[in-house]
Amino acid sequence: MIKRIILLLSVVLLFSASAVAQKINGKVTDEQHNPLAYVNVILQTADSAFLSGTTTDADGFFELPFHEMAKYISFSFIGYNSVVKKVKNDIGIVMLEPDAQLLGEVVVKDYLPKTQIKGDALLTPVENSVLAKAGSANDVLNQLPGVVKSEEAFEVFGKGAAIIYINGRLVRDNAELEQLNSNEIKHVEVVRNPGARYDATVKAVIRIQTVKKVGDGFAFNLRSSVVLSQKNDYINQLNINYRYRGFDFFASLAYLDYSYIQDTDIKQTLYSKNLLELSQNADFTGRSSALRPTLGFNYQINDNHSLGVRYVPNKPLQNSSNNDSYSIALVDKIVDDTTHTISKDLANDDINHQANIYYYGRVGNLNIDFNTDILHSATNKKTHYDEASRLHENRVIETQNSAQNRLYASKLVLSYPLFKGNLSVGAEYSYTKRRDEYLSEAGFIPSNISLFKENDITAFAEYGYPLPFGNVSAGLRYEHIIYDYYENDVRVDEQCRKYDNFYPNASFAAILGKVQLMLSYSVKTNRPSYYQLSNAGMYIDRYSISKGTPSLQPEIHHDISLATVWKFLQFSLSYQHVRDAIVHLGTSQENIDNAMVIYYTNFAEDMPKLSAVLSVAPTVCFWNPVLTAGVEKQWVQIEYLGEKINLNKPLPYVKFVNNFNLSKGFMANIDYTFVGKGHTVIYELLKPTHCIDFRISKSFLKDALNLEFKANDILKGSGEEIIMYSNTYKINQANRRDSREFIFTLRYNFNSAKSKYKGTGAGEAQKSRM
């Protein structure tokens, strides 16, 4: 199979080289020879009529197909004087000089940036805008239209969790976003329908490009935060960077200390041989701390070639949690037991290792992007359960759960101009091995050892073609996956799988007057995590266990999206059709009376969903508001006690961001987020959530020193309550978290410079599944 893919890529590249048409190319810089990105480049006739256009890339390069009627080529960018040159194949370096008047009136003055459609993404400039003073990358993303911050990740409304890149490198730990200062960000791109070069499981992408620093020398920045709540958090980080000629050495050391508190009420009902009703109140507390160094270098051989290495060892110092719960169980409305359970988790994880090696180059018109990733990790957790029962025997249970992960992955992407457009082809290979061990001394919970082995071979191609009023692109991704499953070291043939799937995508972008629009279609998937595939039963309490399902099938998503931008208005509409959705259900345990098992399964019916988002972002003097309103509507039915229940209530969402650019270096924010009642997948949100955040900051020493105060969830309105039905099982759960926080942050930058690391990573879907 690998030989076939290599042969296919070779044939395509040879064909591309033979069929290429003449091109007009060059590079645009400022007066200090720094590359300028997103400069408008327009090809014109002798009477200045428009023929075709493009914008420069992050390195200032541009490329346009040659046209027989072309006479002039113009270059324009806000804050700079426009330049017009006569057409020739190699334009060379074009230098733009600042427009003094525009610099005074537009560029230096803080403003709310206007989002525009750029390629496959919605691009929002950050540099020289009010967002540059937002604080951290977390704060920037939280203010973007249609981007929602959840407990674990950032989501694109209507799409789900997004993977995030910084300078082409995948962010593997979202703590890194808090460590990136907003004034180091050049722009942010939000991709609502990723193309074939991304894994078929990726539904949304956020790409962050930082401001490029020039010159040699030493730089460092410090960040220290104290988070005051019921239990305090501490974040401290030092980043250092040294540049000499083409070498860029970087290192960082972070100490992170987090804690959490959650109070939960759970009511479960199970209809089986008897009626079981279980009511619980649980107090969860936990603390985790880690020491996270990063080491690496980038070597810029010349303008066309660079390579680098990045190594991240992660040593968890503490990872513990406690659960103090009271429960009462009724069987056929009669008290069966009341229990007080104290469980303690203590993890003793090994050092986790991640390494990335990359090469990025340009040979003639051929762009080469190669990455290799290695990941080794191991987790070990012991849990002690102490159950005190009023009517039955007391229980003391010890369990041990360990997991070992190995990943080796490589990815190659080649891009080449072809027939006035651009062709990208690539291949990716990954090998994954995970071993789970669940050991229990209790006879009613069997010990289990699960082993997963997976080989993924992927090939993809994308082609984009410019039009006089926009562009059109299409892509196809092929994935060949061999999945082997072993239980207690014995291969289980009926649970082993082989997948051969094609995932197409297409998009059309146009500029109609002052309106920009983009229409796109894609097919995606969602593969079950290794935890969801594990057959090991994990003890919850004497009435319930949880387990995975080795026979789970991947989800299939069909997505049609429309995005439009006009001045300060932005509107997005998306329709998704999901088949074999992976859901979390409950049922009775086999051969055990009055006991339930919580498990994963593929939903029997398809799940169609429609989502819409409208954002308004005007500028009113020193006030820069962004009002975003969205709604999700699905058409789903689920069976409960022999009857069909409609899960069709629309789910509304509102976010109102208010930036105030005050005098003397002060910046303030007051933000409000609302999520209403409604249905999502098989859950119903029973109460709306409200969240009000406040932030104020002050810069000193020409922005080298920044002091910041934040208050999150001031009214503590972000707790949620949900209900879920499935056949003979129902659960109602209400969560209240320690969400009100007061955060004091100090940032200091000395000759700040972000690393020029360009690694994009490989095997990202497999990493997330681990």
Side-chain angles (χ1 to χ4, degrees):
M1 179 58 67
I2 297 177
K3 292 181 178 179
R4 292 180 181 177
I5 294 174
I6 294 173
L7 179 60
L8 174 63
L9 294 179
S10 301
V11 171
V12 171
L13 287 175
L14 287 173
F15 176 72
S16 302
S18 63
V20 65
Q22 283 186 297
K23 298 292 178 180
I24 301 171
N25 51 52
K27 182 178 181 180
V28 182
T29 70
D30 61 15
E31 76 285 1
Q32 296 179 345
H33 306 291
N34 299 317
L36 286 176
Y38 305 112
V39 175
N40 293 310
V41 184
I42 305 296
L43 201 61
Q44 300 171 328
T45 65
D47 56 359
S48 299
F50 176 89
L51 290 173
S52 64
T54 187
T55 57
T56 56
D57 63 18
D59 297 316
F61 290 101
F62 69 90
E63 190 173 74
L64 281 169
F66 181 81
H67 197 288
E68 293 181 356
M69 297 180 62
K71 183 70 174 178
Y72 300 108
I73 184 168
S74 67
F75 305 85
S76 61
F77 191 58
I78 188 170
Y80 292 84
N81 294 315
S82 298
V83 171
V84 178
K85 288 183 172 290
K86 287 186 177 182
V87 169
K88 57 182 178 178
N89 289 104
D90 186 4
I91 299 295
I93 296 177
V94 179
M95 186 176 68
L96 300 187
E97 296 181 351
D99 185 317
Q101 181 179 0
L102 283 177
L103 280 173
E105 295 179 359
V106 180
V107 177
V108 176
K109 179 180 177 181
D110 293 316
Y111 66 98
L112 189 66
K114 301 300 186 290
T115 299
Q116 58 181 306
I117 294 176
K118 168 71 177 177
D120 61 347
L122 294 169
L123 183 145
T124 301
V126 175
E127 187 181 15
N128 296 320
S129 79
V130 69
L131 291 180
K133 298 182 179 180
S136 68
N138 264 333
D139 300 305
V140 172
L141 297 185
N142 200 36
Q143 296 185 33
L144 295 181
V147 177
V148 184
K149 186 177 182 181
S150 64
E151 287 293 317
E152 299 295 332
F154 280 95
E155 298 181 359
V156 175
F157 186 80
K159 299 294 184 177
I163 62 170
I164 300 174
Y165 290 86
I166 297 178
N167 294 338
R169 176 183 55 81
L170 182 77
V171 175
R172 298 175 179 87
D173 182 355
N174 282 350
E176 186 177 348
L177 299 174
E178 189 62 30
Q179 297 151 14
L180 174 61
N181 296 327
S182 58
N183 61 4
E184 296 176 299
I185 299 175
K186 184 177 183 65
H187 64 258
V188 179
E189 297 172 285
V190 178
V191 184
R192 295 180 59 86
N193 224 347
R197 70 177 55 213
Y198 296 100
D199 191 274
T201 61
V202 175
K203 312 300 189 305
V205 177
I206 297 175
R207 300 189 295 241
I208 299 174
Q209 185 70 39
T210 61
V211 178
K212 288 196 173 184
K213 303 294 183 179
V214 296
D216 295 339
F218 174 77
F220 73 88
N221 63 73
L222 296 167
R223 180 269 174 94
S224 181
S225 293
V226 177
V227 182
L228 304 180
S229 54
Q230 289 180 262
K231 286 186 176 291
N232 299 337
D233 301 336
Y234 304 93
I235 304 171
N236 296 282
Q237 172 140 352
L238 168 65
N239 300 317
I240 59 175
N241 187 257
Y242 177 73
R243 293 184 178 184
Y244 179 70
R245 296 183 178 177
F247 284 97
D248 171 27
F249 301 94
F250 57 89
S252 68
L253 181 63
Y255 172 73
L256 311 172
D257 190 343
Y258 294 119
S259 63
Y260 68 89
I261 297 176
Q262 178 174 304
D263 178 47
T264 299
D265 291 321
I266 303 175
K267 296 180 180 179
Q268 300 177 83
T269 304
L270 176 67
Y271 292 86
S272 57
K273 180 179 179 181
N274 305 101
L275 171 62
L276 174 64
E277 297 172 281
L278 184 62
S279 299
Q280 298 171 301
N281 173 261
D283 292 324
F284 297 92
T285 60
R287 177 169 292 277
S288 63
S289 61
L291 199 61
R292 298 179 178 175
T294 300
L295 299 169
F297 76 90
N298 177 85
Y299 178 45
Q300 189 82 26
I301 302 172
N302 52 44
D303 287 342
N304 294 324
H305 301 278
S306 62
L307 55 87
V309 176
R310 183 184 182 90
Y311 171 58
V312 183
N314 177 25
K315 173 55 181 173
L317 302 178
Q318 178 184 359
N319 190 356
S320 60
S321 62
N322 299 286
N323 177 15
D324 191 343
S325 67
Y326 292 87
S327 63
I328 179 170
L330 304 179
V331 176
D332 293 332
K333 301 297 183 179
I334 299 174
V335 175
D336 184 68
D337 201 3
T338 59
T339 58
H340 177 209
T341 303
I342 298 176
S343 64
K344 297 182 179 180
D345 293 338
L346 181 61
N348 182 22
D349 296 341
D350 297 337
I351 297 178
N352 299 329
H353 303 273
Q354 292 186 8
N356 170 259
I357 303 171
Y358 86 93
Y359 165 76
Y360 181 82
R362 184 195 299 259
V363 180
N365 289 326
L366 177 67
N367 289 319
I368 305 169
D369 186 353
F370 174 76
N371 279 263
T372 290
D373 274 73
I374 300 172
L375 182 150
H376 285 196
S377 67
T379 60
N380 301 281
K381 183 177 72 172
K382 293 183 178 180
T383 304
H384 175 87
Y385 299 89
D386 192 343
E387 290 186 357
S389 169
R390 188 170 68 89
L391 300 178
H392 299 287
E393 80 284 356
N394 296 334
R395 288 181 177 177
V396 176
I397 300 172
E398 301 280 348
T399 66
Q400 182 172 337
N401 188 20
S402 63
Q404 296 178 342
N405 296 302
R406 298 290 184 269
L407 168 69
Y408 306 95
S410 292
K411 183 177 181 179
L412 173 66
V413 182
L414 305 174
S415 301
Y416 201 82
L418 178 67
F419 300 133
K420 300 183 180 180
N422 191 75
L423 174 70
S424 294
V425 296
E428 185 172 3
Y429 170 76
S430 66
Y431 170 75
T432 308
K433 180 181 178 181
R434 177 183 172 102
R435 182 182 177 89
D436 281 317
E437 294 186 8
Y438 185 80
L439 306 178
S440 171
E441 298 176 355
F444 51 87
I445 308 175
S447 297
N448 183 275
I449 300 176
S450 301
L451 178 63
F452 311 88
K453 294 181 180 180
E454 187 172 308
N455 285 272
D456 295 6
I457 302 172
T458 300
F460 61 85
E462 293 179 317
Y463 182 71
Y465 187 82
L467 301 173
F469 50 86
N471 65 80
V472 62
S473 65
L476 183 65
R477 184 179 183 91
Y478 165 71
E479 295 187 350
H480 173 74
I481 299 173
I482 300 173
Y483 169 75
D484 295 319
Y485 175 74
Y486 300 78
E487 189 168 322
N488 297 320
D489 295 326
V490 177
R491 189 176 190 270
V492 184
D493 293 336
E494 61 269 21
Q495 294 176 2
C496 298
R497 297 287 185 271
K498 180 187 289 187
Y499 300 105
D500 288 281
N501 298 104
F502 290 90
Y503 301 97
N505 70 278
S507 67
F508 167 74
I511 300 176
L512 305 176
K514 295 184 179 180
V515 177
Q516 303 176 66
L517 62 87
M518 179 167 57
L519 180 66
S520 59
Y521 166 77
S522 68
V523 179
K524 296 290 183 179
T525 188
N526 181 35
R527 302 188 191 95
S529 68
Y530 293 114
Y531 168 75
Q532 293 172 332
L533 292 168
S534 175
N535 199 36
M538 301 188 68
Y539 186 79
I540 300 176
D541 54 45
R542 65 181 60 208
Y543 293 96
S544 52
I545 64 171
S546 69
K547 63 185 300 185
T549 304
S551 59
L552 276 178
Q553 298 296 313
E555 300 178 353
I556 298 296
H557 295 239
H558 293 265
D559 189 302
I560 300 176
S561 296
L562 172 69
T564 60
V565 176
W566 178 75
K567 293 186 177 179
F568 55 81
L569 296 178
Q570 179 183 325
F571 175 73
S572 298
L573 183 68
S574 177
Y575 173 77
Q576 290 181 319
H577 193 93
V578 182
R579 185 183 307 144
D580 294 327
I582 298 173
V583 295
H584 210 188
L585 301 181
T587 189
S588 56
Q589 290 191 44
E590 294 182 5
N591 305 320
I592 301 178
D593 293 336
N594 305 320
M596 62 187 71
V597 55
I598 313 301
Y599 68 103
Y600 292 93
T601 188
N602 292 109
F603 195 69
E605 305 293 334
D606 291 353
M607 289 188 174
K609 182 181 71 172
L610 185 68
S611 60
V613 182
L614 176 65
S615 297
V616 183
T619 298
V620 183
C621 194
F622 61 88
W623 176 40
N624 297 283
V626 181
L627 177 61
T628 301
V631 64
E632 286 186 4
K633 164 71 174 177
Q634 66 178 23
W635 290 266
V636 176
Q637 281 189 335
I638 194 167
E639 186 172 311
Y640 178 63
L641 301 182
E643 296 183 358
K644 293 286 188 179
I645 297 178
N646 292 320
L647 306 180
N648 301 339
K649 293 180 183 178
L651 182 67
Y653 164 78
V654 175
K655 182 166 70 172
F656 193 19
V657 175
N658 297 272
N659 290 287
F660 298 93
N661 186 15
L662 307 176
S663 59
K664 298 183 179 179
F666 281 96
M667 288 288 298
N669 286 78
I670 301 176
D671 304 333
Y672 171 71
T673 304
F674 164 81
V675 179
K677 297 186 291 184
H679 288 120
T680 176
V681 194
I682 61 170
Y683 306 100
E684 180 179 1
L685 277 63
L686 297 178
K687 57 171 287 188
T689 62
H690 307 263
C691 184
I692 297 177
D693 301 331
F694 171 77
R695 171 185 173 272
I696 188 167
S697 66
K698 174 73 168 71
S699 297
F700 303 89
L701 305 177
K702 297 182 179 181
D703 292 338
L705 176 66
N706 181 272
L707 301 179
E708 176 187 270
F709 168 74
K710 294 170 66 175
N712 292 334
D713 197 11
I714 297 172
L715 302 181
K716 295 194 72 171
S718 62
E720 73 270 1
E721 183 177 356
I722 64 170
I723 190 169
M724 184 268 284
Y725 304 92
S726 70
N727 296 321
T728 59
Y729 173 79
K730 180 177 72 172
I731 181 172
N732 184 301
Q733 180 169 328
N735 299 322
R736 296 170 295 276
R737 299 183 183 87
D738 181 21
S739 55
R740 181 190 290 158
E741 300 175 331
F742 302 97
I743 307 171
F744 297 88
T745 299
L746 179 148
R747 294 182 176 90
Y748 179 73
N749 301 297
F750 173 77
N751 193 26
S752 180
K754 291 300 294 180
S755 166
K756 298 185 289 184
Y757 198 79
K758 297 181 180 180
T760 56
E764 306 309 338
Q766 284 68 32
K767 293 176 190 174
S768 64
R769 293 171 68 201
M770 291 177 178

